[in-house]
Amino acid sequence: MDDTSTRRRSRRALIVEGAVRIVLGFVLLGAILFLSAGSFDWPMAWALLGTMAVMLAINVSVLSRKNPEVIRERMHGGKAVKKWDKIVAGSMGPFALAMLLLGGFDRRYGWSPPFALWLQIVSLALVLAGDLVFVWAMSVNKFFAKMVRIQEERGHYVVTTGPYRYVRHPGYVGWYMMVGGLALALGSLWGLIPAAITMVLMVVRTALEDRTLKDELPGYAEYARRVRYRLLPGVW
């Protein structure tokens, strides 16, 4: 079997594995939302799932053509993950889950006043826009890992193209847009609390990752002098 056939088979296997993970993820997300809400009669939850289906279709289409390596990296990861990131990223999970559960319970018990429909629609648009920024960053950065690590075995170098010309962590910019939009789309004031905590933890993670890259990735300190801002031009 030649190298081309091997690569094609490997790519197909990766796509199949990714598709299985996506289906399972959708089933889990739907279960969290509808079980906590106690009903399938939640139009905004269905709209959110539909929006996420569109996002995933875009992501798979773009990354499978532009940067399949990043799919493999994010699915399987590697060694030398920073211990602090295991703590920070692990701390974010429960708050993200709480945001979803509170949105469902709020739908069931009516704790919050109704959100304007236009606000929820704009929020879904913000989720989609955030994903476009996120996938743009992934499409140009094959080292866009799920956990912070210096990927020496893959020849890790500084990526300066695409959105990295404007801020040093554009994927996180997209992530913020998605989390903020998701929190508002669920229509729960209580859900905004864990969403805000998750965002604060991500600021901490961004600062720690940026410091790690300056210390350990050749060329990053020079890049940081040219691209001054981590997340928001003119602010930070």
Side-chain angles (χ1 to χ4, degrees):
M1 184 178 296
D2 59 28
D3 291 341
T4 301
S5 298
T6 300
R7 285 196 298 269
R8 286 176 179 173
R9 291 188 63 178
S10 176
R11 182 176 176 181
R12 285 197 296 267
L14 191 68
I15 292 173
V16 170
E17 182 183 353
V20 171
R21 292 191 182 202
I22 288 170
V23 171
L24 292 177
F26 263 93
V27 171
L28 179 60
L29 176 60
I32 292 171
L33 291 174
F34 294 119
L35 287 177
S36 60
S39 171
F40 288 105
D41 184 20
W42 189 3
M44 193 51 61
W46 287 110
L48 175 62
L49 289 173
T51 300
M52 295 187 72
V54 171
M55 289 162 45
L56 286 169
I58 293 172
N59 293 0
V60 171
S61 175
V62 171
L63 296 180
S64 63
R65 290 183 294 106
K66 297 288 187 179
N67 195 4
E69 286 186 69
V70 80
I71 301 176
R72 186 176 295 103
E73 168 61 30
R74 290 184 65 80
M75 285 174 57
H76 298 146
K79 300 178 180 179
V81 172
K82 299 302 178 182
K83 293 181 179 179
W84 59 260
D85 196 37
K86 294 179 181 179
I87 296 172
V88 176
S91 300
M92 292 167 61
F95 291 107
L97 176 60
M99 178 179 65
L100 298 174
L101 290 172
L102 284 171
F105 288 135
D106 208 336
R107 171 70 180 182
R108 179 186 293 197
Y109 299 114
W111 295 332
S112 299
F115 280 32
L117 179 60
W118 67 265
L119 177 60
Q120 291 182 292
I121 293 174
V122 169
S123 300
L124 287 178
L126 183 62
V127 172
L128 181 58
D131 180 69
L132 293 177
V133 174
F134 194 82
V135 77
W136 185 18
M138 285 195 291
S139 71
V140 301
N141 185 3
K142 67 178 183 179
F143 307 109
F144 197 114
K146 197 170 184 179
M147 302 291 291
V148 176
R149 70 186 191 92
I150 303 300
Q151 302 169 43
E152 294 180 356
E153 79 284 1
R154 301 180 63 217
H156 199 164
Y157 56 82
V158 180
V159 175
T160 61
T161 57
Y164 291 91
R165 292 173 293 179
Y166 310 110
V167 291
R168 302 204 293 266
H169 301 276
Y172 291 166
V173 174
W175 181 91
Y176 272 104
M177 295 168 65
M178 286 188 282
V179 171
L182 176 61
L184 292 172
L186 292 175
S188 172
L189 293 175
W190 291 101
L192 295 176
I193 297 174
I197 295 173
T198 305
M199 290 181 174
V200 170
L201 288 171
M202 182 57 89
V203 170
V204 173
R205 189 186 193 196
T206 303
L208 291 173
E209 179 176 350
D210 201 68
R211 186 176 68 185
T212 297
L213 293 172
K214 285 181 180 178
D215 292 342
E216 301 183 28
L217 184 61
Y220 190 85
E222 171 60 28
Y223 165 68
R225 285 191 286 270
R226 289 187 287 108
V227 179
R228 295 176 53 193
Y229 299 103
R230 299 171 184 87
L231 295 175
L232 192 60
V235 179
W236 187 66

